[in-house]
Amino acid sequence: MIPPDTHLQIGSLLFEGLDQIDLTGPFEVLSRVPNSTYRVYAPGPEPVRDVRGLRMLPDATLAEAPRLDVLHVPGGTGQEALMRDPAVLGWIRGQAAGAGHVLSVCTGALILGAAGLLVGRRATTYWNAVHLLPFFGAEPVDARVVIDRDADGRTWVFAAGVTAGIDGALQLAAALRGEEAARTIQLGIQYAPEPPFDSGTPHTASPDTVARVRAAAADITARREATARAIATELGIRIP
């Protein structure tokens, strides 16, 4: 827990083709962290559209961001374009080096991997991409939220697909300001999910449902694997 009189700079990465809930789910939590400033940063000042077409506007550009105490990296199909973007990856490396806490949601973990930040870490990501984590030197964990800590105290929070970002952000809020602060935020946003179907993971969904979702994502999954294999070679990570 960070002393309550220490002001926190919290920043989220915004990019074309992200999944907006990867961003806005944690936003609902992190923007309510006491004594903090939350802002959204993008490579440029122009609006972007999420994977379903929702138009979003950054607060500022990456170059205008201060040193962040908390860095949040969302995912979505637009993640693939960032895997080879040296400016964005360099910004992530620099901010992660100074931040005490890093949160990734969904395939945001793959962006961290492309930046070389997953080597030796326990991590998770979207269920249809979790098999790619070893390409970045990470140990995949089948969990909704995975927390990994550096020897120097930096906390890495990895949330699985999309809605898991709220869970990860609440755990992060507890690490920042204490469990009671996180409980207060949870009640404030009335986060008490009761999904109508037990189909939210490949373990609980029917085989037919899993097959349909895999088939719909086959192209992006293949592209992600090709990129991951190339990055593994560059990082010197041997994959069978």
Side-chain angles (χ1 to χ4, degrees):
M1 178 173 163
I2 297 173
D5 59 349
T6 299
H7 187 79
L8 299 174
Q9 293 286 345
I10 302 174
S12 297
L13 175 65
L14 176 66
F15 55 90
E16 188 76 24
L18 86 166
D19 192 315
Q20 61 87 12
I21 297 184
D22 289 3
L23 176 72
T24 57
F27 162 80
E28 289 292 340
V29 175
L30 299 179
S31 64
R32 290 172 167 81
V33 170
N35 193 17
S36 68
T37 297
Y38 174 94
R39 301 189 82 192
V40 175
Y41 301 97
E46 62 278 352
V48 303
R49 291 191 182 275
D50 97 315
V51 66
R52 306 305 299 178
L54 182 66
R55 195 165 182 257
M56 307 178 74
L57 185 69
D59 293 306
T61 66
L62 302 185
E64 295 169 322
R67 185 191 68 80
L68 299 175
D69 300 294
V70 179
L71 171 64
H72 164 216
V73 180
T77 57
Q79 143 271 322
E80 184 66 17
L82 300 188
M83 302 283 280
R84 292 299 193 182
D85 188 318
V88 173
L89 297 180
W91 182 81
I92 289 173
R93 289 188 200 100
Q95 288 290 359
H101 298 77
V102 179
L103 166 67
S104 77
V105 182
C106 196
T107 54
L110 305 186
I111 302 174
L112 294 180
L117 298 175
L118 292 192
V119 177
R121 301 197 187 285
R122 299 170 65 253
T124 193
T125 186
Y126 181 59
W127 67 269
N128 203 26
V130 73
H131 65 288
L132 301 178
L133 290 174
F135 289 89
F136 305 104
E139 175 189 344
V141 180
D142 183 12
R144 189 163 171 83
V145 177
V146 173
I147 298 178
D148 190 85
R149 291 184 174 87
D150 289 347
D152 60 5
R154 182 182 292 109
T155 300
W156 299 76
V157 181
F158 301 96
V162 195
T163 57
I166 300 176
D167 300 55
L170 284 168
Q171 292 201 39
L172 178 53
L176 295 171
R177 294 300 191 215
E179 187 172 301
E180 186 54 37
R183 290 178 181 273
T184 301
I185 293 170
Q186 181 179 4
L187 179 57
I189 63 175
Q190 198 170 350
Y191 179 58
E194 296 181 1
F197 311 108
D198 190 13
S199 190
T201 78
H203 305 300
T204 59
S206 72
D208 286 347
T209 299
V210 173
R212 280 193 295 271
V213 174
R214 285 195 189 277
D219 288 347
I220 184 62
T221 301
R223 293 199 301 273
R224 284 171 173 159
E225 180 166 340
T227 301
R229 285 186 178 278
I231 291 173
T233 298
E234 294 165 12
L235 293 175
I237 296 169
R238 300 183 65 181
I239 301 295

